[in-house]
Amino acid sequence: METTLKTEREATDEEDACKTGSPVKTEKGIGSSETIPAALSIKMERGSDGNDNQGEESINPVDKITSLKTLGPFIASKDNTRNTRYISDVPEICLREPCMLGVDEAGRGPVLGPMVYGIAYCPLNSKQILTDLGCADSKELTEEKRDVIFDNINTQPYACSCIGWAVEIISPNVISNNMLGRKKCSLNEISMTAAIDLIHAALEAGVNIAEVYVDTVGPPEKYQEKLQKIFPQFQITVAKKADSTFPIVSAASICAKVTRDHSLKVWQFPEGLNLTSKDFGSGYPGDPITRKFLSENVNYIFGFPRIVRFSWSTAENALSETACLVEFDEPDSEKPKYAGPKLTKFFQSTRKNGEVQREQCRLLKERFLDSVVDF
């Protein structure tokens, strides 16, 4: 099936056709959320001549993602030092009919930028629509093809009328704090928590989930057992390379990958750096542009900007070579030394043969009394 990006007027008409009237819920970080009306208008910034300003979208503000064009402005309006969650409108049919739900991530390995977890869901009998869209492993598709599929999921009536999705953008700052904090949390734990939270979010939105397919983190058997205990009502399948096996996982993978790509494109440095994604590359340790960025953007005292995951060995090695060495006082781990006898001395003593002998009570000693053991 041939897929192309639509003109602005076509996209607007199709967005109107896709509106369900239900609210859109966005969450930023833990414990904070807001409900956004579904009918928020999204406008283009016009120049004095009535033309678009170099094709850039403006922000009026963009609190709802209705197409690829609105994805970047939505992400740019959020605080990138905290997690952001976005849940699309739930198609009416997904409230009534049993649905399959896929889970996958993007950006697990890079030293820069967020890790994004995504879910996608649709009725069990709508699998052909996923195939028509071209859903396949997002890593096997070009960036342009992923963008087209993501845009079609949100604008094409045949797709947005039966497919819903959600993403959790996990900030590199949050990843670093969790992995390096006193109470350490591994990347696997962060990943599983994000996946579980997104499934819960879909349930709370009213999606009639029947089957869940997950691209594994760690051993698939253990992960599946963990999920089955939390969601015993679902048929759950956890597998390696599920994004290339199950189209619904592929759709989730595409949503996650496109969201991460655009998160990097609109990244704003709170440190005041005037850089674009061309200046720091893909974020993978093997990317020469990324390595150059790491070597040229080290503050002697504070280290890297917060786009960098400090918990990665690539970042640690770079800091050890160029940044100031900082030592923190560790609490005294030695056991306190007591001047007096140990409390246990008054309760038992040991003979040479190892037999425990209890010391007689002073009251019995003073009165020359013995404990009667034989009658």
Side-chain angles (χ1 to χ4, degrees), residues 131-363:
T131 304
D132 293 342
L133 282 166
C135 289
D137 182 2
S138 66
K139 301 178 189 67
E140 300 297 325
L141 299 171
T142 64
E143 182 178 350
E144 293 76 15
K145 183 63 176 177
R146 288 193 299 265
D147 285 350
V148 168
I149 294 173
F150 179 84
D151 193 65
N152 287 339
I153 287 174
N154 287 279
T155 60
Q156 293 289 334
Y158 77 90
C160 62
S161 61
C162 65
I163 299 175
W165 60 279
V167 289
E168 177 93 19
I169 305 173
I170 306 171
S171 167
N173 188 55
V174 172
I175 293 173
S176 298
N177 289 342
N178 275 279
M179 294 184 69
L180 297 175
R182 284 192 179 275
K183 187 179 179 182
K184 293 184 174 13
C185 183
S186 71
L187 191 64
N188 279 2
E189 291 176 291
I190 296 171
S191 300
M192 290 180 185
T193 299
I196 292 166
D197 287 349
L198 283 173
I199 297 172
H200 276 303
L203 279 174
E204 291 172 6
V207 181
N208 184 13
I209 303 172
E211 300 175 3
V212 176
Y213 300 88
V214 184
D215 194 47
T216 191
V217 172
E221 299 80 12
K222 290 184 179 180
Y223 193 8
Q224 181 166 322
E225 183 182 356
K226 179 184 178 77
L227 291 175
Q228 201 70 69
K229 287 180 180 178
I230 299 172
F231 304 106
Q233 71 274 36
F234 302 149
Q235 178 185 321
I236 297 178
T237 302
V238 179
K240 294 179 180 179
K241 298 184 179 181
D243 48 351
S244 59
T245 306
F246 305 103
I248 193 64
V249 180
S250 302
S253 177
I254 289 167
C255 292
K257 182 63 175 171
V258 171
T259 300
R260 174 178 154 78
D261 289 345
H262 285 261
S263 295
L264 293 176
K265 288 179 180 178
V266 300
W267 188 271
Q268 299 174 29
F269 288 88
E271 298 83 4
L273 298 177
N274 187 22
L275 300 173
T276 68
S277 58
K278 293 181 180 178
D279 299 310
F280 52 77
S282 64
Y284 284 90
D287 187 338
I289 300 176
T290 299
R291 291 203 304 268
K292 182 181 177 184
F293 170 82
L294 292 174
S295 64
E296 294 178 352
N297 291 275
V298 182
N299 183 286
Y300 184 67
I301 301 297
F302 298 106
F304 293 113
R306 280 180 283 186
I307 191 175
V308 178
R309 303 178 190 178
F310 283 70
S311 49
W312 258 236
S313 60
T314 307
E316 290 178 358
N317 294 337
L319 286 177
S320 65
E321 295 172 0
T322 54
C324 175
L325 179 63
V326 180
E327 293 183 2
F328 296 93
D329 290 334
E330 293 292 337
D332 188 5
S333 59
E334 293 184 8
K335 294 182 179 180
K337 298 178 181 178
Y338 296 100
K342 293 183 178 180
L343 187 62
T344 55
K345 182 176 180 241
F346 298 98
F347 295 97
Q348 65 182 30
S349 60
T350 307
R351 293 194 178 100
K352 289 183 178 180
N353 61 2
E355 182 183 349
V356 175
Q357 178 187 8
R358 292 188 179 277
E359 191 170 357
Q360 193 176 33
C361 172
R362 191 180 66 179
L363 178 68

